[in-house]
Amino acid sequence: MEASTLLRGSTSVPNDIPRFVTYTSPVSQYPSVPATNGFSGGAATLPLNLVGLILSHLDDLGDIARVTRTCRLLYYMTLPQLYAKVSLHSYPTIRYTNGRPEGFGSASPFLMALNGLVTKAHAGIVQDFRVYGEWNEVGAEDFAKGRVPDNSMMLNILMRSATDRMTKLRSFSWELDCKPLKPLYQGLGSHSNLTSLSIRFPQTRVPRPSVVIPPMANLRIFRAMEIDPLCYPDDISVLLLSSKKLEDVRLHFSPRMRAEAESSLSWATYFGRVLRAEYHMGLKHFAVQNFYGRNVEGMGDILNYDTCKSVTFLDVFGGARGASANVFLDDTWKQIPPDLTTKFTTMRTNEPAMQHVEMLLRAEAPLENLYIVSQRLGKTGNTPGSGQEMPVTPDDSQPDFEATALGKQYLHAITRCHGSSMKHLLLWDVWHLTQDDLGELIRYCPNLEQLGVGVSSEDSLKTIWLLLPFLHKLKALRLLLPNEVEGQCQNSGHYNNMAQTLGKLNAQNLKWLGVGNMIFKIGPRYDDIDVGGHVVAKVHITEVKIADVQHVEIWGRDCLDIMADPVAPFSP
């Protein structure tokens, strides 16, 4: 026997490819299966790169978990995908399955999952970690005695141990109804890969230790929700000053202070260090909601206007329809500096005001997207994602003359200063544009891709159809109708003729149409025969729900949720 055959082994074939090469080669090295029963033969296995591509399209955790149990190869290929995003939900009560409590014979599923992350190697592949729900905080009365309860401290120690093992952690979200403590913050501050941090503070009036959140070198996104100084939140000023790579900051304050006219907030509490250091944060997106405090420091001095291109302010300045009890503090924000100019390309607010119009007129850069949310903070407050947003005014009153007259001022500022660059425009629903207003808007804003406006009569609807062909780039149109006008359209059969009306128009790019509370998806054109036997052009129209158009900005961003804005893109 030849030496080469002996080295390869007696069972090997001459010139056979080594096994370690066949396992990693993108080309299958297995022989084809012979054709049987009329079917042509194919490769016995797929190349690993194709298997990985197929597995990357699995988005259901149940499907991914079932794939990991098929064979050892798929187990190792799908395990990083299975544990890339981990969300643990803590329930306040015991849940039962088939008559037995969850965790029967052990602890709760929440703690057992944390134990698995601490004791096993799976934590090393977690990239996105989220904990949410309600935590049974035993011994909360110890806070009043100056000591942290063991229940709370053990939770934070366990969370610290789990996150320390997550060497690839990029995003962490704390949404439990108890507060993070110092051990957890110290662990997060040591992560070099952490780019996103979200903290939701509890709303219980229990004395708690206030922790200074340490800086995080590579942090790009920071969200603080339900901030309330009387509920002992943590100090974020050091984080905001020392995390130099921050690009997206969103601060949501508890609506209780604005609803009860409780002046307990100060801008210096959160940005005092930034102001004293004369540091201009290089953010790309900045959002504030429910802030209620006096304007004594200056919000505009913390931003670098060369980098910040998107802002969101919801229930912050009062605007033209602010509550009477809040006017004493809201009026302090109406004195804008004479030299204040902005370079924003995207703005979202629910507080139209004359001062906002002046900022639009002074803007150095043209505005591309403007969303004026029609909802206002209700008496019960609003919590993002809780469904408690109420589209009512704080005083439950009808829009006054001042708020209605602002529509003309906004229309003038938008068309004269930002018309050629405007792409997305959502106006207040109480501004009922006339036929002349619609003609002026379409004349000065020819590049609109999404448009949401209020119309006052059925004649205005007919004007929209006449002017629609001049908006060649329009993809989404939302018409905000009063209830009486919407009723008139239903009684007159306006919706029945919509397919034929749109078929006559040269609006080939229009994909979404909202008329009042009804939303339609516009399909391709086709020819049909009418009652008289004539050939008429129509379009396919399908009525859809509001959930189907959340990706369209004039619907998706028309809400009291600072999370509705997309995350500012950043490079790791």
Side-chain angles (χ1 to χ4, degrees):
M1 184 177 294
E2 297 180 359
S4 60
T5 304
L6 291 174
L7 291 175
R8 289 194 299 266
S10 59
T11 59
S12 300
V13 180
N15 299 324
D16 190 13
I17 298 177
R19 183 174 300 178
F20 68 89
V21 175
T22 62
Y23 285 163
T24 58
S25 174
V27 180
S28 177
Q29 303 295 333
Y30 295 93
S32 301
V33 179
T36 57
N37 299 329
F39 295 97
S40 60
T45 60
L46 289 173
L48 294 183
N49 59 342
L50 294 183
V51 175
L53 180 62
I54 295 173
L55 295 177
S56 64
H57 287 81
L58 294 177
D59 53 2
D60 184 77
L61 289 179
D63 294 339
I64 299 175
R66 283 184 284 270
V67 171
T68 58
R69 296 194 294 266
T70 55
C71 66
R72 183 173 297 180
L73 175 63
L74 293 181
Y75 172 81
Y76 287 112
M77 292 186 67
T78 56
L79 195 65
Q81 187 175 348
L82 180 64
Y83 282 92
K85 296 182 178 181
V86 177
S87 297
L88 303 184
H89 190 175
S90 176
Y91 295 94
T93 58
I94 298 178
R95 300 192 308 166
Y96 291 84
T97 303
N98 298 327
R100 288 189 173 184
E102 288 186 341
F104 183 73
S106 185
S108 67
F110 179 82
L111 285 180
M112 292 308 299
L114 278 178
N115 176 68
L117 293 174
V118 171
T119 58
K120 298 184 180 298
H122 297 155
I125 55 180
V126 176
Q127 301 180 17
D128 189 341
F129 188 40
R130 176 190 179 212
V131 289
Y132 65 104
E134 301 181 33
W135 173 260
N136 290 326
E137 197 169 20
V138 180
E141 63 276 1
D142 290 358
F143 282 120
K145 301 176 181 179
R147 194 181 76 170
V148 178
D150 294 340
N151 176 269
S152 302
M153 183 57 72
M154 290 303 297
L155 171 64
N156 280 265
I157 293 175
L158 187 58
M159 290 289 298
R160 164 73 183 272
S161 179
T163 54
D164 283 350
R165 294 175 177 269
M166 299 178 184
T167 56
K168 298 182 179 180
L169 184 64
R170 297 185 302 180
S171 175
F172 178 74
S173 179
W174 175 285
E175 301 176 29
L176 294 173
D177 62 347
C178 59
K179 196 174 72 67
L181 298 177
K182 187 175 182 179
L184 178 59
Y185 286 131
Q186 289 177 337
L188 295 176
S190 63
H191 280 272
S192 60
N193 297 326
L194 188 65
T195 58
S196 177
L197 175 63
S198 299
I199 303 294
R200 183 182 296 275
F201 295 107
Q203 295 300 293
T204 55
R205 296 289 188 90
V206 177
R208 300 171 186 270
S210 181
V211 182
V212 177
I213 303 180
M216 302 176 188
N218 292 318
L219 194 66
R220 312 298 175 86
I221 304 169
F222 176 67
R223 306 184 183 101
M225 311 297 295
E226 301 290 348
I227 302 175
D228 189 342
L230 297 184
C231 295
Y232 304 92
D234 297 326
D235 187 356
I236 64 176
S237 60
V238 175
L239 175 72
L240 295 176
L241 174 63
S242 304
S243 301
K244 301 298 184 180
K245 294 185 179 181
L246 276 174
E247 298 183 4
D248 191 322
V249 173
R250 310 185 188 199
L251 305 180
H252 171 272
F253 296 86
S254 173
R256 175 188 58 79
M257 292 162 292
R258 177 166 287 274
E260 300 178 4
E262 183 181 277
S263 177
S264 56
L265 289 177
S266 174
W267 196 246
T269 304
Y270 311 98
F271 292 96
R273 297 176 187 267
V274 175
L275 293 170
R276 288 191 295 270
E278 297 182 355
Y279 170 60
H280 299 282
M281 304 176 65
L283 304 179
K284 294 181 179 178
H285 176 74
F286 182 59
V288 180
Q289 185 172 3
N290 297 336
F291 182 83
Y292 184 65
R294 188 176 299 275
N295 180 18
V296 293
E297 291 88 9
M299 183 180 295
D301 296 332
I302 65 173
L303 299 177
N304 183 351
Y305 292 106
D306 292 330
T307 61
C308 189
K309 301 300 181 183
S310 175
V311 292
T312 296
F313 297 108
L314 301 174
D315 292 304
V316 175
F317 309 114
R321 287 172 58 175
S324 302
N326 300 335
V327 67
F328 305 110
L329 292 186
D330 290 340
D331 276 355
T332 62
W333 293 95
K334 295 183 179 180
Q335 301 297 328
I336 59 177
D339 57 343
L340 178 62
T341 57
T342 61
K343 299 180 181 180
F344 305 132
T345 59
T346 301
M347 300 183 70
R348 188 164 74 98
T349 183
N350 67 333
E351 299 175 303
M354 192 60 201
Q355 290 74 18
H356 189 203
V357 175
E358 294 181 10
M359 294 181 63
L360 294 178
L361 294 173
R362 295 185 193 176
E364 293 184 2
L367 196 64
E368 296 181 4
N369 308 310
L370 176 61
Y371 310 96
I372 300 182
V373 181
S374 298
Q375 295 183 3
R376 290 286 299 175
L377 177 63
K379 289 184 176 180
T380 59
N382 65 308
T383 301
S386 64
Q388 296 181 1
E389 295 87 353
M390 300 180 62
V392 297
T393 62
D395 294 330
D396 296 335
S397 60
Q398 296 297 324
D400 54 15
F401 176 77
E402 179 185 358
T404 306
L406 278 175
K408 297 288 185 180
Q409 305 294 334
Y410 269 90
L411 186 63
H412 175 77
I414 292 170
T415 55
R416 298 308 190 273
C417 300
H418 309 274
S420 60
S421 63
M422 190 64 64
K423 295 180 180 179
H424 297 176
L425 179 60
L426 176 64
L427 297 180
W428 218 7
D429 58 352
V430 300
W431 296 337
H432 299 153
L433 272 61
T434 63
Q435 298 180 13
D436 295 337
D437 295 336
L438 293 172
E440 184 178 3
L441 178 63
I442 295 176
R443 173 189 175 188
Y444 285 96
C445 304
N447 297 317
L448 283 173
E449 298 178 2
Q450 297 184 24
L451 176 62
V453 294
V455 293
S456 58
S457 62
E458 193 172 358
D459 294 336
S460 299
L461 287 177
K462 297 178 181 179
T463 305
I464 285 285
W465 306 140
L466 293 176
L467 299 176
L468 192 59
F470 295 97
L471 295 176
H472 302 287
K473 300 180 181 180
L474 193 65
K475 299 178 181 179
L477 175 63
R478 183 182 179 187
L479 303 177
L480 309 172
L481 304 180
N483 294 331
E484 58 274 9
V485 176
E486 188 170 1
Q488 293 175 4
C489 294
Q490 294 177 352
N491 297 332
S492 61
H494 182 86
Y495 298 131
N496 300 332
N497 302 327
M498 192 178 299
Q500 184 173 347
T501 302
L502 294 176
K504 297 178 181 179
L505 303 177
N506 187 21
Q508 301 178 357
N509 293 325
L510 188 63
K511 303 299 181 183
W512 305 97
L513 175 64
V515 183
N517 295 323
M518 304 184 69
I519 306 173
F520 303 95
K521 183 178 181 180
I522 310 300
R525 297 179 60 181
Y526 68 97
D527 294 332
D528 196 9
I529 306 298
D530 61 4
V531 179
H534 303 288
V535 178
V536 295
K538 293 184 178 181
V539 295
H540 289 280
I541 294 183
T542 305
E543 186 175 358
V544 297
K545 298 180 180 179
I546 187 67
D548 299 326
V549 292
Q550 290 303 302
H551 65 283
V552 183
E553 283 79 1
I554 56 176
W555 279 284
R557 299 202 196 184
D558 187 18
C559 61
L560 295 177
D561 188 356
I562 59 176
M563 297 301 180
D565 301 302
V567 176
F570 63 90
S571 57

